[in-house]
Amino acid sequence: GLKDNRFPDPHIKIFKNPDTGRENMYVYVGHDEGFNQFIMRDWYVMWSEDLVHWNCARSLRREDTYLPADSVNCWACDCVQSPWDGKYYLYYSNAGDDTGVAVSDRPDGPFVDARGKTPILPKGITPTNSYDPDIILPDEDDPNAYILFGSDWTDHYWAMQLKENMIEIDGEITKLEFDQRWPFTEAAWVHKANGKYYLTYATGWPEKMAYAMSDSINGPWEFKGLVSECASNCNTTHPAIVEHKGRTYMFTHNGTLPEGTSYS
């Protein structure tokens, strides 16, 4: 059953459950099948109203993307509800190569290809391609939506504006510069609190979790230090932070389940 599966790289969002009309926490994840290598064939979503009782469903099949039928590279994803058309857009990594987008009328999917089987961030968009997408929606300080992403373990992190259709990029690419005391490895998450943007990300190897603050998505960023040390029995970490019913929650993954490893 699903209780035996392993779900890395959580991205968290608060959406209204279309069946109940009440707010739920939705957690979008990859799906590990390997124990000594990355084998990931699809993406899942879990949702809960009370954070105790959870539902779980496959949200996106690789067959519904531009990935090859035999792909095992279904890496981290992020989901947002468009403020323009109300639909839900799921952005996903094809390993460290490129980034796709799928769409659904529901936050729990199923999601289907949104671009005619082509990536929104193709190979070559940066010197080392793209993965680990994170989406920022418009707010009172900035009317634009952005896609932020890392690029293949090279201390590079980038931001690009999204068009209102949510499936095309717009304008120039911005490179975010990092404090080399806490260099960027992967797995960035940006959220806003008290008028500030917070960038939380994996740093070093094995990965720890660091954070920075800024008044703008495009920086400059003030790097503050570590949030947490290495995850248990796992070389990687993947932060996601959200406010829910008056409290702030941080999700990540580790390798502490029975037979858990860095790959499961």
Side-chain angles (χ1 to χ4, degrees):
L2 286 175
K3 65 182 177 62
D4 298 319
N5 280 322
R6 289 156 169 81
F7 299 110
D9 303 334
H11 273 236
I12 318 167
K13 294 294 159 65
I14 306 299
F15 294 133
K16 183 176 290 186
N17 186 314
D19 299 322
T20 67
R22 296 189 294 269
E23 282 193 341
N24 284 187
M25 180 182 287
Y26 289 80
V27 183
Y28 298 86
V29 289
H31 174 211
D32 280 332
E33 296 181 27
F35 290 90
N36 57 10
Q37 59 182 315
F38 292 122
I39 300 176
M40 308 167 74
R41 305 178 197 272
D42 45 19
W43 294 267
Y44 277 74
V45 57
M46 296 175 280
W47 67 97
S48 174
E49 185 175 342
D50 59 9
L51 311 191
V52 176
H53 304 91
W54 290 84
N55 301 280
C56 184
R58 183 165 61 175
S59 61
L60 179 62
R61 308 181 308 162
R62 72 185 180 283
E63 297 95 319
D64 296 322
T65 73
Y66 62 87
L67 274 67
D70 59 351
S71 174
V72 295
N73 292 326
C74 299
W75 288 14
C77 63
D78 190 23
C79 184
V80 294
Q81 184 178 18
S82 168
W84 292 288
D85 66 12
K87 294 183 178 181
Y88 298 86
Y89 290 86
L90 185 74
Y91 302 80
Y92 57 88
S93 298
N94 172 27
D97 293 335
D98 43 44
T99 298
V101 57
V103 64
S104 177
D105 292 325
R106 295 175 56 97
D108 53 338
F111 288 82
V112 296
D113 176 70
R115 281 182 47 88
K117 298 296 182 76
T118 60
I120 184 173
L121 300 176
K123 292 183 180 180
I125 195 167
T126 69
T128 50
N129 304 325
S130 69
Y131 76 126
D132 283 358
D134 185 51
I135 309 301
I136 305 300
L137 292 179
D139 61 20
E140 64 276 7
D141 297 321
D142 193 325
N144 302 306
Y146 296 89
I147 181 168
L148 292 78
F149 55 97
S151 59
D152 211 17
W153 300 70
T154 52
D155 191 29
H156 294 162
Y157 193 56
W158 313 84
M160 296 196 75
Q161 188 175 320
L162 286 170
K163 292 185 178 181
E164 291 183 4
N165 63 17
M166 301 297 287
I167 64 170
E168 294 179 277
I169 51 178
D170 191 18
E172 298 298 318
I173 188 169
T174 299
K175 180 180 178 181
L176 283 65
E177 300 292 342
F178 281 76
D179 188 318
Q180 290 308 297
R181 291 175 293 175
W182 307 288
F184 176 76
T185 303
E186 58 176 349
W189 171 271
V190 176
H191 73 284
K192 197 172 186 181
N194 302 317
K196 295 281 189 179
Y197 291 98
Y198 288 80
L199 166 64
T200 313
Y201 61 96
T203 184
W205 187 261
E207 294 172 354
K208 299 179 181 181
M209 197 183 296
Y211 82 107
M213 300 170 62
S214 178
D215 293 321
S216 166
I217 287 293
N218 293 312
W221 293 86
E222 180 184 357
F223 289 82
K224 308 295 287 188
L226 294 180
V227 175
S228 66
E229 296 291 331
C230 298
S232 300
N233 197 34
C234 184
N235 286 329
T236 61
T237 189
H238 200 111
I241 300 170
V242 69
E243 291 187 15
H244 183 58
K245 296 184 178 180
R247 305 188 73 181
T248 301
Y249 295 86
M250 183 172 73
F251 281 53
T252 186
H253 60 236
N254 59 34
T256 60
L257 285 176
E259 300 179 354
T261 70
S262 290
Y263 306 94
S264 54

